[in-house]
Amino acid sequence: MPSETDRPDAAAGRFSGVPLVLLRLLGAVPLRLLQGLGALAGVVACLLSSSYRRKLRANLRQAGYASTADALRAAAQAGRMVGELPFVWYGAPAAFARRVFCDDLPVLEAAEATGAGIVFLTPHLGAFEAAARFYARRAPLTVLYKPPKQAWLQPLLAECLPPYQQLSQYAIRAPRHSEPDRHS
C-alpha cells in the first residue's frame, strides 16, 4: 500500500474531512468488531429500506432462498463485508498480514517464476483491495477496476487506492507486453 504522501489529495468531494478521518480511525478497530457493526448495519438497512429489501428478496427468491431469515442473513453478510473495508483500506500492516495470506503460495511462486505477468481475478468489494495489498508486499502491480457509477465515491477511491490503479491504456498494455509497471 502506498504511504499517505503517495495518495492523491481527496479534499474535493463528499468523502473529504470528517468521514475520511472516521474511516481511518475505524481502520484501527479490531476486525471482529467491524464485522459485527457491519452485520448490524446491514440488517438495519434491510429493515429500514424498502427498496433494498425488495431487491434483496427478489434476488434471493431467484436463487431459491425465499425466507425472511435468508434475507436477514444475506443483509447481515453484506453489511459485514462493508464493515471490513476500513480494516482492508486502513488497517495496520501487521494486523492485515496476520489475516490475509495465500493458501497456495507454490502456485503463485511458480507463476512469478515464469517472468510473465499474473492476472488475478477477484470478486468485488474488499477482495481486490485485499489481494492488491497482499501482493504489493511482494512485487509491483497494476490493478484494473471500473470506476464507481456514483461520482461521489471517486474521491474515496482516490484516497484509498494507489494512483496507479486507475484504468488506463497503459495498464491494459503493460500485462500484454510484460512491461514493468512504472507507476509503482
Side-chain angles (χ1 to χ4, degrees):
M1 291 300 283
S3 68
E4 284 293 331
T5 57
D6 294 334
R7 293 187 176 152
D9 181 18
R14 288 175 52 177
F15 272 94
S16 62
V18 175
L20 275 176
V21 170
L22 180 61
L23 282 173
R24 287 186 193 119
L25 290 173
L26 286 172
V29 171
L31 181 59
R32 293 263 185 217
L33 181 57
L34 288 173
Q35 290 170 329
L37 293 171
L40 178 63
V43 169
V44 168
C46 183
L47 294 174
L48 297 180
S49 172
S50 60
S51 63
Y52 174 63
R53 186 172 53 252
R54 195 170 33 256
K55 290 174 190 173
L56 178 64
R57 299 287 309 262
N59 289 336
L60 287 171
R61 270 193 304 278
Q62 189 173 16
Y65 299 95
S67 74
T68 300
D70 290 331
L72 292 175
R73 275 193 300 274
Q77 289 303 316
R80 180 181 175 154
M81 180 176 57
V82 171
E84 293 171 351
L85 291 177
F87 177 82
V88 171
W89 289 338
Y90 293 109
F96 182 83
R98 282 192 303 272
R99 295 278 187 171
V100 178
F101 57 91
C102 178
D103 61 359
D104 204 355
L105 202 52
V107 172
L108 180 59
E109 289 168 343
E112 290 172 330
T114 69
I118 300 173
V119 175
F120 293 93
L121 299 177
T122 62
H124 204 349
L125 226 53
F128 84 90
E129 294 98 332
R133 189 168 179 195
F134 168 81
Y135 195 74
R137 296 177 60 191
R138 298 178 63 89
L141 74 154
T142 298
V143 176
L144 307 177
Y145 74 96
K146 183 178 177 184
K149 291 178 183 175
Q150 297 87 3
W152 58 270
L153 283 172
Q154 191 57 40
L156 174 64
L157 289 177
E159 167 71 18
C160 296
L161 301 174
Y164 61 81
Q165 291 184 335
Q166 294 296 319
L167 183 59
S168 67
Q169 285 298 87
Y170 174 81
I172 292 169
R173 283 193 318 269
R176 194 178 309 146
H177 299 297
S178 297
E179 297 171 5
D181 182 359
R182 292 177 185 83
H183 301 299
S184 49

